[in-house]
Amino acid sequence: MAKAVDKAIDYASFPDKRGHFGPYGGRFVSETLMCALDELEAAYQRLKNDKDFQAEFDQDLAQYVGRPSPLYLAERWSRETGGAQIYLKREDLNHTGAHKVNNTIGQALLAKHMGKKRIIAETGAGQHGVASATVAARLGMSCHVFMGEEDVHRQALNVYRMKLLGAEVIPVKSGSRTLKDAMNEAMRDWVTNVDDTFYIIGTVAGPHPYPQLVRDFQSIIGREARAQCLEQTGRLPDALVACVGGGSNAIGLFHPFLNDESVAMYGVEAGGYGVETGQHAAPLSAGTPGVLHGNRTYLMQDDNGQIIHTHSVSAGLDYPGVGPEHAWLKDIGRAEYVSVNDDEALTAFRELTLVEGIMPALESSHALAYAKKLARSLDKDKTIIINLSGRGDKDIHTVAQIDGIQLT
Amino acid sequence: MSRLTAKFDALRAAKRKALVPYIVAGDPDMERTLPLMHKLVEQGADILELGVPFSDPMAEGPTIQLAHERALVHAVSLSGILELVTEFRRHDQDTPVVLMGYANPVERMGYDGFAERAGRAGVDGVLIVDMPPEEAEPLNEALARHELDNIFLLAPTTTDERIAKVAGLAGGYIYCVSLKGVTGAGNIDVDQVQKLMQRIQAHTDLPVTVGFGIKNAETATRVAVCCDGVVVGSALVEAVASAEKNGTDVLEATTLIRDIRHALDAISR
Ligand SMILES: Cc1ncc(COP(=O)(O)O)c(C=O)c1O
């Protein structure tokens, strides 16, 4: 207990009032949106501590999403890997198949309480788009999802899912036609329809208060995992591993453990063809600080401050920025950020499927691939928790294509 | 006195409205941007807003987005644009030049380095679209050290409280966004602009220009009656783009500015 007193940082107290995590975060948007963000922040501050709102959120997570998600000891995979015991936090078992829904449930409830009738969202892999379309269907709201034209082709299955859920999918043809451009377009829509529209951002990026509120909604992952780990193993885990696109599943797992000094944390970015090739999506590993999409954070950019193209086999990690809290955790050394290449992730995808009968999302496969290396370096009595952020059904086409198989 | 202040003082004394064209630097290429700037002045522009191209121009509609993309094909950079302004100043010491763009290229160059170089190049004001007053303090200090004005946006959604805050930080002039939307958007609602202008003028004596949705002489004159000047962006950028596409001289695009100048001068008399 003595330790807790002289602890320098209380992680729960971040961000500061203006949304800063150290030098990162903040609110870099055009003037038209400032009032909408003030309104959102005020509503969130009010509802965050409102018992009824929390009860509604908890009930939806339990009865609609199916929480708590299990913490599963991957016994056979741990044994074959040789080293630490590996536990999987099964976010893949959530309704809609990924952690994304924790956040969309929370933000849709906010929208409802703020009297907004129209939902917009950006999506890369389509998981956040599906999760947004799902909650919009349930609450009887209209839903418009912006998706880069490139991703519309890569993720045809999710596009159709969104349409079946009654959402309109708007292909974005500007810039690189991927997630970042979808986010630009969603911002443009929001500026235009700011009075009646709620923008559900899918990750811990964007202007304040989004990185905070998305983190808070996703923190259910870490709170459950912490309690489950204590119950199942009698102690805290030694390490946490999660993939990092924008960083929402990672911060969701990490945040409730930040004040537990003994717990190491590893965020795994998409190394694409290899960080050394420049063709990757690993801004924390190989980028520099800058401003994009409303916050200051690490970015993939050139010497002139232009955002550069990213590459990853997994559409959900294919983003040139990262949530500002991760940028800060990196700088202060509380979490470590590493990268895993496309082919390592694909190997992990196949391995978990064969050895545990669990087909992971390609995003989550990045975390698996790194955790495997980490587990080998640790003794058998150590434990690692991996955030298995989503299931792999959506990626079957991608994997088949790599295998040279044409699915009809 | 700053070039912007001198310009607005002169305009006010002559009871004229400021005409502020916006073009994207490097669209269609850097070689033609310089003559375009001079030609705009010749056709009656009072102040030039030079767009600094960015890969992710969040506040722009399709017309200006495409102009940013065209410029970036030639790898137009903030450094290159500062050199362009230096060139422009060799033949024009009177027309204020304002750089309008996004935070990241300026962050990348560093606030102080940018302000120092921009001041030396002969830039007069800087408008960073995605840098509201809450985040602008460090940049403001750097700009002030080099006697550059920081120009802020005010929008229909801006509260009176924020107007007061912005009025305290702004220099040169205030850019009033006429509508909720992106550049090049639909039809301007003059009544709404008028109401916003009244709220702004209750807090500041700084000149106020109105932009977004001003397409021609008709919209310009309708708006100009309630403000100090008008910004013409998408319509001009579109004219440049079609001249380029049709293989005609892009300088011809500036006839739009000449027409608006004539119309504005007719109402100020
Ligand atoms: C299953 C899954 N995991 C991870 C991510 C990456 O997002 P984040 O880093 O915000 O968790 C995505 C994004 O689409 C996803 O679908």
Side-chain angles (χ1 to χ4, degrees):
Chain A
M1 284 317 285
K3 219 166 181 189
V5 177
D6 57 40
K7 205 177 279 171
I9 298 173
D10 175 19
Y11 293 92
S13 70
F14 283 80
D16 70 14
K17 267 221 211 55
R18 283 164 50 209
H20 293 122
F21 300 90
Y24 303 108
R27 199 178 265 180
F28 293 86
V29 296
S30 67
E31 177 61 27
T32 312
L33 289 180
M34 288 304 284
C35 286
L37 291 167
D38 281 340
E39 185 195 4
L40 174 62
E41 189 185 356
Y44 182 59
Q45 292 305 339
R46 179 165 46 81
L47 292 168
K48 187 165 85 147
N49 302 313
D50 180 282
K51 279 210 179 65
D52 292 340
F53 180 83
Q54 277 307 330
E56 206 177 349
F57 181 52
D58 291 344
Q59 176 165 334
D60 281 354
L61 289 182
Q63 296 177 1
Y64 190 67
V65 176
R67 302 202 72 92
S69 69
L71 183 70
Y72 166 73
L73 171 61
E75 228 175 320
R76 191 167 164 224
W77 195 49
S78 303
R79 198 164 57 237
E80 292 202 355
T81 296
Q85 305 303 304
I86 304 172
Y87 286 78
L88 305 177
K89 181 62 177 160
R90 298 289 308 273
E91 293 300 299
D92 60 316
L93 294 178
N94 292 342
H95 179 43
T96 71
H99 71 290
K100 296 283 179 188
V101 74
N102 303 327
N103 169 46
T104 58
I105 294 261
Q107 289 198 49
L109 278 182
L110 273 178
K112 190 178 92 174
H113 282 265
M114 291 171 73
K116 307 277 181 182
K117 297 273 185 303
R118 181 176 176 270
I119 296 291
I120 58 170
E122 84 293 337
T123 198
Q127 287 304 100
H128 174 61
V130 167
S132 299
T134 299
V135 296
R138 179 167 173 251
L139 294 176
M141 296 173 176
S142 80
C143 182
H144 302 257
V145 180
F146 295 91
M147 191 168 187
E149 202 177 39
E150 181 105 350
D151 293 331
V152 169
H153 296 305
R154 280 202 279 192
Q155 303 285 337
L157 189 67
N158 271 343
V159 173
Y160 191 54
R161 278 170 89 191
M162 288 184 264
K163 286 182 181 162
L164 288 175
L165 288 160
E168 191 186 329
V169 179
I170 300 135
V172 175
K173 297 180 167 70
S174 56
S176 62
R177 298 160 197 230
T178 59
L179 179 54
K180 81 170 174 71
D181 309 282
M183 200 150 175
N184 292 335
E185 208 54 37
M187 289 275 187
R188 292 177 188 125
D189 180 295
W190 198 26
V191 167
T192 309
N193 301 295
V194 60
D195 294 330
D196 70 340
T197 296
F198 190 103
Y199 179 17
I200 300 189
I201 295 186
T203 190
V204 283
H208 178 64
Y210 282 101
Q212 178 184 5
L213 67 87
V214 176
R215 174 197 75 194
D216 292 350
F217 291 139
Q218 290 292 3
S219 290
I220 184 71
I221 302 172
R223 282 200 305 277
E224 283 178 7
R226 196 172 181 281
Q228 289 166 323
C229 186
L230 286 171
E231 193 189 306
Q232 293 175 29
T233 73
R235 52 186 202 81
L236 289 172
D238 297 286
L240 307 174
V241 182
C243 66
V244 177
S248 67
N249 87 88
I251 212 78
L253 177 64
F254 294 176
H255 198 260
F257 290 94
L258 282 172
N259 288 333
D260 298 320
E261 265 177 72
S262 66
V263 181
M265 301 177 186
Y266 300 90
V268 187
E269 296 189 299
Y273 296 129
V275 166
E276 69 288 350
T277 65
Q279 306 226 45
H280 56 85
L284 289 168
S285 308
T288 45
V291 170
L292 180 69
H293 293 152
N295 67 98
R296 184 180 285 119
T297 187
Y298 279 83
L299 300 174
M300 304 261 300
Q301 57 177 325
D302 67 16
D303 292 342
N304 295 318
Q306 306 296 344
I307 306 308
I308 55 180
H309 285 232
T310 51
H311 164 79
S312 170
V313 69
S314 85
L317 301 183
D318 211 349
Y319 179 66
V322 62
E325 191 163 8
H326 286 294
W328 176 63
L329 293 175
K330 172 193 156 79
D331 281 9
I332 62 174
R334 179 63 187 94
E336 198 176 316
Y337 295 88
V338 295
S339 68
V340 152
N341 299 353
D342 285 353
D343 47 5
E344 297 172 282
L346 281 160
T347 302
F349 170 91
R350 292 177 205 279
E351 220 176 273
L352 197 77
T353 305
L354 281 174
V355 174
E356 293 286 349
I358 296 172
M359 195 177 293
L362 285 177
E363 290 80 11
S364 325
S365 301
H366 286 72
L368 294 164
Y370 182 75
K372 196 171 156 171
K373 297 189 221 176
L374 179 67
R376 285 201 177 120
S377 71
L378 298 174
D379 291 336
K380 278 200 174 55
D381 62 346
K382 303 282 187 197
T383 56
I384 297 176
I385 297 179
I386 303 175
N387 195 353
L388 193 67
S389 56
R391 66 179 186 222
D393 308 43
K394 69 180 174 59
D395 297 313
I396 289 177
H397 268 91
T398 307
V399 175
Q401 209 167 34
I402 290 166
D403 285 343
I405 292 166
Q406 181 71 43
L407 301 178
T408 47
Chain B
M1 191 194 299
S2 85
R3 224 179 328 241
L4 278 167
T5 307
K7 176 62 81 177
F8 276 104
D9 284 355
L11 285 165
R12 276 181 176 174
K15 293 198 162 53
R16 292 177 83 213
K17 302 294 182 183
L19 176 53
V20 187
Y22 165 99
I23 54 172
V24 175
D27 174 35
D29 51 45
M30 277 302 229
E31 291 67 39
R32 280 180 285 177
T33 301
L34 184 61
L36 198 50
M37 291 168 76
H38 288 302
K39 187 75 180 178
L40 286 166
V41 175
E42 195 186 309
Q43 301 278 40
D46 298 300
I47 296 163
L48 298 179
E49 279 186 6
L50 261 191
V52 178
F54 182 48
S55 50
D56 295 82
M58 262 178 0
E60 316 298 344
T63 301
I64 295 179
Q65 279 174 47
L66 288 173
H68 282 237
E69 287 183 21
R70 284 192 296 272
L72 288 176
V73 169
H74 314 296
V76 168
S77 67
L78 185 52
S79 287
I81 292 168
L82 294 176
E83 284 164 27
L84 172 74
V85 177
T86 307
E87 277 299 303
F88 175 78
R89 279 279 166 258
R90 283 154 50 122
H91 300 283
D92 187 329
Q93 282 90 46
D94 301 325
T95 310
V97 173
V98 172
L99 298 188
M100 182 166 181
Y102 293 81
N104 201 49
V106 174
E107 291 257 325
R108 188 75 181 140
M109 188 176 277
Y111 292 163
D112 224 40
F114 164 71
E116 196 264 323
R117 288 176 63 181
R120 206 150 26 94
V123 171
D124 302 285
V126 176
L127 197 173
I128 306 293
V129 179
D130 54 349
M131 196 177 287
E134 283 79 353
E135 302 288 352
E137 216 169 280
L139 177 64
N140 252 353
E141 285 167 13
L143 294 177
R145 272 196 291 280
H146 300 280
E147 293 173 12
L148 292 165
D149 287 316
N150 201 354
I151 293 151
F152 286 94
L153 299 172
L154 289 175
T157 53
T158 308
T159 58
D160 288 344
E161 195 187 339
R162 290 184 59 79
I163 291 176
K165 189 190 305 186
V166 168
L169 289 172
Y173 61 98
I174 284 174
Y175 188 132
C176 166
V177 177
S178 68
L179 46 78
K180 292 171 196 158
V182 292
T183 51
N187 289 328
I188 196 160
D189 177 346
V190 178
D191 283 348
Q192 189 180 297
V193 174
Q194 223 145 19
K195 280 193 201 113
L196 176 57
M197 282 300 304
Q198 278 164 8
R199 291 202 290 128
I200 296 172
Q201 281 158 346
H203 287 95
T204 181
D205 291 329
L206 274 177
V208 183
T209 66
V210 176
F212 283 42
I214 295 171
K215 296 176 160 51
N216 48 33
E218 196 257 333
T219 40
T221 48
R222 273 172 46 215
V223 169
V225 290
C226 69
C227 63
D228 301 289
V230 294
V231 182
V232 182
S234 296
L236 177 60
V237 170
E238 183 64 50
V240 170
S242 19
E244 174 71 355
K245 201 166 137 211
N246 301 331
T248 55
D249 188 350
V250 294
L251 296 185
E252 298 279 310
T254 62
T255 55
L256 173 69
I257 295 305
R258 183 197 59 200
D259 295 347
I260 296 177
R261 173 84 273 162
H262 288 161
L264 287 179
D265 289 349
I267 58 156
S268 47
R269 266 194 238 86

